[in-house]
Amino acid sequence: MTNKKISALTKKRYSSEKRFKAYCIAALALAMAILFTLLSSITLNSLPAFTQTHITTDVYLDKNLLDPNNTNDLEAILREGPWRSLAKSSLREMVPGVNDRKEKRELYGLVSVIAGDSIKYYVKENPNDIGKKVQINIPSSDDIDLLTKGLIDRNLPEENRTVSNLQLKWLDQFIYEKRVSKRFAWKLFNHGDSREAEVAGLKGAIAGTLLTMFVTLIISFPIGVMTAVYLEEIAPKNRMTDFIEVNINNLAAVPSIVFGLLGLAVFIGYFGMPRSAPLVGGIVLALMTLPVIIIATRASLASIPPSIREAAYGVGASQLQVINHHVLPLAIPGILTGTIIGIARAAGETAPLLMIGMMAFIVDTPHKITDKATVMPAQIYMWANNPERSFESLTSAAILILLIILITMNALAIYLRKKYERKW
Amino acid sequence: MRENGKMKNDYKVKTENITVDYGEKRALHGINLNISSNEVTSLIGPSGCGKSTFIRCINRMNDLIDGCKVNGKILIDNEDINNQNMDVVELRAKVGMVFQKPNPFPKSIFDNVAYGPRIHGTVKNKEELENMVRKSLKRAGLWNEVHDRLDASGLSLSGGQQQRLCIARAIAVNPDILLMDEPCSALDPIATAVIEELINELKERYTIMIVTHSMQQAARLSQKTAYFHLGEMIEFGDTSSIFTNPKHEMTEAYISGKIG
């Protein structure tokens, strides 16, 4: 009798276990599917941004034009050369018979507005080519770029597309002459921001992010670790430390924009620190990261078995020696993991930086922590707001690069944890 | 350094009216116990009777426990260890401790033993340190087993070896007194036998206090035995008389297996 009862119950138990397992697998599959969709859509959207259409242009680097006074001074030539008009005249040479003002403008519209700079850069790298006829790869305008990538439909009626019939005719001629090529868009990494999609890059934002993270790290890591060591190892357990602990835990839950307001009011308003600077951004993000580091460090310290502390005290180590020789080295993997994850979170933060003016159009690459700068997430936000279609793929590319940076940081955290992890 | 000039009757450790409180709860009710040099003293009694708490008073390990208060007088070589002038670091160098669970540092065997001499600065150079490590490992009976792998992690040893490593670590700082808190309770009988033999040898040099749950171990090892019950010391005397002719009925009940 009883056996039958038990076996009936066992069956029920097994089937409920199976169901539970199925739910868990379904949840996991759903999470993976969402992640996969997100990553693949970002990657697919971003692909066009990693290449850039170039038009190989014949340029005659006329010495009389570039250096009319025969100074042979390269710097003066670079500074004063008529680069823009040289680019324009070179285009006219390749497409004879364009005289009408409107037609001319359409012709110049084939290439980027910084076509002159491409020629200048070529001369800077190859000064001996002055006086020769050379071929220079000039980036196309963003509309031509979109067209060659198939993102603008050439079969649309002329009034519905941003590339005119005349431009199409010239472009087809260039393609026939094998002048049109797609190259890796290095400008993504060696150009700052720009209003023109074909030259807009992330160099400034990446440098800004690195500088900001540097400030965040050097402020939040030592303060966070020391606070945690004091609270966990040294402070007496009483109401005061309980109170502090509750407050630190609450601080971790404060909306990040509040830290931005604090930064604006205190660091910029009261201390007069520069606006839009990685210095202030870093301090604000450090305040945001502090509770994360403190909590992670405390958890890591608490996980060190008390037997290690007893052993060290037992042979006569002082408290400082116990902490420095035994507890901290054992806790380092956990501390580093917490720190890197905290910093990675800060690297993806936009809201607090909005308040201190780091959400700004800044072309120059910052070199010091007091220079004006922007950061990756802010750059993504600003590009996403641009109306030109080319910025669509640029935004995705920037997101992808930010994700790669963050994933690398997290992977580093996992690696450090595995490497220094000890068992006892 | 070790003091041999003392008179034989002078006790190494004298305790007067020790009470220990964990917050509201009193764990020891006025213990008076005197320990002679170069003897093994066993503390026996049922779980929770306060024997571990008592030996942790001797090197002030109880200081580390929040809310633990120790009152009473503890004299080591006639010096009050709770005196303000007594440095707890020096005290613990003089009173070594071996714990219930082997707890080597997650470092090499060499560094485990060398740690004490290094932090106390008792060795001047590398050579002296190496001598000290060798001497301590030999005294702990571990040298022959590990001399060719001093760089290996202390955690790579077996449980019994780890415990002997902990003993070597404790004696590397040249203590006078060794406190052992159930040093064999986590070990198998063979490892236990090795440690017991070692304790027998060590009493030539050190005054040893050992907490044990095994009455056979107490009988085999110690010259003096103290029986604790619920925070009180019921009986203290020569091991032989306690085990053959206990004066107190509770002691008799415990050693004959009726309580505990």
Side-chain angles (χ1 to χ4, degrees), chain B residues 10-16 33-34 73-76 78:
Chain B
D10 217 4
Y11 293 112
K12 185 76 185 170
V13 182
K14 284 194 262 189
T15 66
E16 285 168 29
L33 183 60
N34 295 330
K73 227 179 190 178
I74 303 170
L75 303 173
I76 295 179
N78 288 320

Side-chain angles (χ1 to χ4, degrees), chain A residues 29-45 396 400 403:
Chain A
L30 188 67
M32 294 300 285
I34 292 170
L35 190 67
F36 180 76
T37 317
L38 179 80
L39 281 180
S40 52
S41 85
I42 290 173
T43 312
L44 282 180
N45 276 334
S396 291
L400 194 66
L403 277 180

Side-chain angles (χ1 to χ4, degrees), chain A residues 328-388:
Chain A
L328 267 186
L330 291 173
I332 277 289
I335 296 174
L336 289 183
T337 311
T339 305
I340 293 172
I341 286 171
I343 296 280
R345 211 192 90 182
E349 197 60 64
T350 35
L353 304 179
L354 186 70
M355 304 305 299
I356 56 165
M358 287 188 88
M359 200 82 76
F361 176 71
I362 289 156
V363 176
D364 293 327
T365 306
H367 295 287
K368 308 190 296 285
I369 55 172
T370 48
D371 287 348
K372 293 216 179 302
T374 188
V375 290
M376 291 285 291
Q379 186 71 73
I380 290 168
Y381 176 75
M382 288 183 294
W383 280 357
N385 279 343
N386 272 352
E388 286 93 341

Side-chain angles (χ1 to χ4, degrees), chain A residues 307 310 313 315 325-326 422, chain B residues 56 89 92 103 106 115 120:
Chain A
S307 64
E310 281 197 327
Y313 281 119
V315 290
H325 296 169
H326 301 284
R422 280 188 229 238
Chain B
R56 290 169 65 95
V89 166
R92 291 190 189 132
N103 55 355
Y115 184 67
H120 293 297

Side-chain angles (χ1 to χ4, degrees), chain A residues 53-58 94 135-137 170-183:
Chain A
T53 306
H54 285 74
I55 296 172
T56 310
T57 315
D58 296 324
M94 294 199 302
Q135 289 196 319
I136 298 175
N137 292 312
W170 291 324
L171 186 66
D172 287 338
Q173 182 200 329
F174 288 159
I175 293 173
Y176 178 74
E177 292 169 2
K178 295 201 171 22
R179 289 182 186 281
V180 179
S181 58
K182 265 193 267 179
R183 291 153 189 276

Side-chain angles (χ1 to χ4, degrees), chain A residues 275-311:
Chain A
R275 249 168 230 281
S276 311
L279 175 66
V280 182
I283 296 174
V284 166
L285 293 178
L287 293 179
M288 216 188 77
T289 315
L290 258 181
V292 180
I293 294 182
I294 294 173
I295 292 169
T297 305
R298 290 194 66 177
S300 181
L301 290 173
S303 72
I304 308 300
S307 64
I308 296 291
R309 293 186 183 85
E310 281 197 327

Side-chain angles (χ1 to χ4, degrees), chain B residues 6-77:
Chain B
K6 294 248 168 190
M7 279 164 61
K8 274 203 170 167
N9 296 351
D10 217 4
Y11 293 112
K12 185 76 185 170
V13 182
K14 284 194 262 189
T15 66
E16 285 168 29
N17 202 22
I18 304 290
T19 60
V20 176
D21 299 271
Y22 292 115
E24 302 286 297
K25 193 177 162 284
R26 175 150 285 196
L28 282 181
H29 305 267
I31 306 292
N32 296 291
L33 183 60
N34 295 330
I35 312 271
S36 315
S37 284
N38 300 74
E39 277 190 342
V40 179
T41 304
S42 300
L43 310 182
I44 59 170
S47 294
C49 68
K51 39 191 201 310
S52 292
T53 303
F54 177 74
I55 70 163
R56 290 169 65 95
C57 293
I58 311 296
N59 66 346
R60 284 176 56 183
M61 282 302 264
N62 285 332
D63 290 10
L64 304 175
I65 300 170
D66 275 324
C68 178
K69 254 207 202 97
V70 180
N71 284 308
K73 227 179 190 178
I74 303 170
L75 303 173
I76 295 179
D77 294 329

